[in-house]
Amino acid sequence: MRRLWVLLALLTIAVCYSPMILTYVLSATCLIAVALMLYKKFIRKNKESLAALFLSVLLNQIALICRTLRYLNFVSDVESLRAPNYMTLLLKPHPEVTYERMQIKDDTINMMIYRPKVIKNDGLIVYAHGGGWVMFTARMFHSAVSWIAHECQMVTISVDYRRPPEHPFPTPLLDVHYTVLWAQLNAQKLGIDASKVVLMGDSSGGNLAAAATTLHRDDKELDKHSFPAIRAQVLIYPVLQSYNYSYGSYIEKDLTNLRKYVSYYIAGDLSLNNKAGDPAQYKGVPAYWSAVVDTSVTGKDLAVKRSLESSPDNLDNVYAFPLLDDDPNGLPPTFVLALTRDAIRDDGEHYAKWLEYSGVRVKYVEESQANHGFMFLYGTDECALSYLKSLAKFVWQNVEE
């Protein structure tokens, strides 16, 4: 929050000296005023969609101001990406869900534990929030995760994983992985069954959830009695590969931010901007490519890495991009929600097809009208809430088996 106030102070100073920024501010104010007017006029008829629209307009205008400040070198690139998201703190959590903050692993990992008023079963959801790995925190997802806990009627942990570029791969993944292990070891204290853990995440958080599920399956040192297999995974418009951005849903999309997020996550800087999504960087094709994308693809299969070492070469690491997994056998039942309009739509669809092809039970759902990030607004958007109920049903079915 302190950064936001500093940002507003810098903006005030900049307005006094720059007519261009003044123009931006006036334009943004007018657009927000119009959105507010429409919101107040039609709120009784369609509260959910207009509330979501208003917040979206507000965030976009603040983001525009932040990009201007970045252009003028008043803030860093990372600060310009993070600052607008403080507005999400305005969203209210579900009133029938209590929560507590906790720190584990020598206070290096923060989490928020949510307990709904009505608990349906003794399963546990471990949630990894989205935001391009770089932007959001668990606190900014406070409202969203409280709604997840309420609708799923399960204890839910939101992992406040450490973010790149300060903490690049594998730190965010290991924070999620360690949280799962901690929860299973402390199952009695949490009041949950260690064998009923569900991993869930959206966007980059979907990436971390899928990667943590894969890592949990692969970790040969885990005592399967103390650390049972993950029961299910729920991936909400996940980003799962950085192999090829020149086909399918990626075509004619602005991928500037996606490349930037991937570079920050893998390398901790922007050195991979031109390499992310470029198949020329690889010496083969992923196993899933010929199986579910294009049966005519031939050539040497990509020998993916399974490493937890930090390196700029991790674009072909299965723990960084789970769609590269050449053998998905042993992964749990999976729910995938993809968006038709989304640049990363194909990631979700291809992952679902690859898992199904490999014998994993999958439920794939595609939403045709919503935009990336809409599931963040459970409490204010009717469409998001309907999909939340759908994924909650999937969780119940698989936890109760």
Side-chain angles (χ1 to χ4, degrees):
M1 185 60 73
R2 183 175 60 184
R3 288 185 177 180
L4 179 60
W5 288 116
V6 171
L7 188 65
L8 291 174
L10 290 172
L11 176 61
T12 302
I13 296 172
V15 165
C16 297
Y17 291 95
S18 174
M20 180 180 67
I21 294 183
L22 179 60
T23 301
Y24 275 134
V25 171
L26 291 176
S27 299
T29 302
C30 290
L31 287 172
I32 292 172
V34 170
L36 181 60
M37 179 185 68
L38 292 171
Y39 178 81
K40 288 183 176 180
K41 183 175 181 179
F42 298 110
I43 187 171
R44 293 180 180 176
K45 294 183 179 180
N46 196 341
K47 176 180 178 180
E48 291 80 10
S49 61
L50 286 172
L53 174 64
F54 173 68
L55 181 61
S56 177
V57 169
L58 186 61
L59 288 172
N60 286 339
Q61 295 309 313
I62 295 175
L64 178 63
I65 294 172
C66 290
R67 286 197 298 270
T68 302
L69 292 174
R70 171 69 185 97
Y71 177 78
L72 296 173
N73 292 320
F74 283 123
V75 296
S76 69
D77 182 57
V78 172
E79 288 173 328
S80 71
L81 291 172
R82 290 175 176 172
N85 303 303
Y86 285 102
M87 295 303 298
T88 60
L89 297 176
L90 296 175
L91 296 172
K92 301 298 183 182
H94 196 284
E96 296 184 1
V97 176
T98 60
Y99 69 96
E100 64 175 315
R101 295 183 177 88
M102 184 174 290
Q103 294 178 314
I104 60 174
K105 200 178 180 183
D106 299 326
D107 297 339
T108 58
I109 303 176
N110 297 309
M111 66 173 69
M112 298 178 74
I113 304 176
Y114 296 83
R115 294 182 180 276
K117 184 177 181 180
V118 177
I119 295 180
K120 185 181 180 73
N121 57 59
D122 55 357
L124 172 73
I125 295 172
V126 176
Y127 193 88
H129 64 79
W133 299 282
V134 176
M135 295 187 293
F136 286 112
T137 65
R139 181 65 183 88
M140 294 171 184
F141 266 69
H142 181 40
S143 172
V145 179
S146 72
W147 275 86
I148 291 171
H150 172 75
E151 289 298 326
C152 293
Q153 297 179 310
M154 292 168 60
V155 176
T156 303
I157 294 178
S158 180
V159 187
D160 198 13
Y161 56 84
R162 288 167 288 179
R163 298 175 293 172
E166 298 91 343
H167 302 282
F169 176 88
T171 299
L173 168 61
L174 292 178
D175 285 355
V176 175
H177 178 58
Y178 190 86
T179 300
V180 171
L181 302 186
W182 175 87
Q184 290 184 316
L185 279 178
N186 292 273
Q188 186 173 2
K189 177 182 177 182
L190 290 169
I192 60 103
D193 184 334
S195 69
K196 296 181 180 180
V197 175
V198 177
L199 269 161
M200 185 183 300
D202 68 289
S203 193
S204 57
N207 169 285
L208 294 175
T213 301
T214 303
L215 178 58
H216 194 284
R217 178 202 64 181
D218 291 350
D219 195 337
K220 305 300 183 184
E221 296 182 3
L222 291 182
D223 172 13
K224 297 306 179 182
H225 176 74
S226 301
F227 304 101
I230 302 301
R231 182 64 67 91
Q233 57 177 347
V234 176
L235 313 178
I236 302 168
Y237 36 79
V239 52
L240 298 170
Q241 65 95 15
S242 186
Y243 175 79
N244 192 340
Y245 293 165
S246 60
Y247 77 100
S249 61
Y250 288 94
I251 296 175
E252 297 182 353
K253 299 291 197 308
D254 183 1
L255 304 176
T256 303
N257 281 343
L258 177 58
R259 296 178 189 276
K260 183 183 296 186
Y261 299 148
V262 168
S263 188
Y264 276 138
Y265 178 45
I266 300 302
D269 54 37
L270 295 176
S271 61
L272 298 180
N273 256 6
N274 296 324
K275 294 182 179 180
D278 178 8
Q281 301 297 318
Y282 303 86
K283 298 179 180 179
V285 296
Y288 80 89
W289 202 262
S290 59
V292 303
V293 179
D294 185 348
T295 55
S296 68
V297 171
T298 58
K300 181 181 178 182
D301 280 349
L302 178 66
V304 299
K305 291 193 298 187
R306 295 182 182 273
S307 170
L308 292 174
E309 298 296 324
S310 179
S311 169
D313 296 327
N314 277 323
L315 289 175
D316 59 354
N317 190 333
V318 69
Y319 299 131
F321 299 104
L323 189 47
L324 298 176
D325 194 352
D326 55 355
D327 184 11
N329 286 295
L331 291 178
T334 301
F335 180 103
V336 179
L337 170 62
L339 306 176
T340 302
R341 298 175 176 179
D342 207 351
I344 58 174
R345 185 203 74 90
D346 285 359
D347 286 20
E349 182 188 25
H350 294 164
Y351 189 66
K353 286 183 176 179
W354 181 222
L355 263 58
E356 189 173 36
Y357 177 87
S358 303
V360 178
R361 191 164 77 248
V362 176
K363 180 177 178 59
Y364 174 77
V365 180
E366 185 171 321
E367 161 58 35
S368 62
Q369 298 300 318
N371 295 312
H372 191 88
F374 88 106
M375 286 289 278
F376 182 81
L377 300 168
Y378 299 115
T380 56
D381 186 80
E382 190 173 329
C383 180
L385 188 56
S386 69
Y387 280 104
L388 175 56
K389 291 180 181 296
S390 178
L391 68 85
K393 183 178 179 181
F394 174 86
V395 169
W396 297 334
Q397 290 172 341
N398 285 282
V399 166
E400 290 299 324
E401 285 184 346

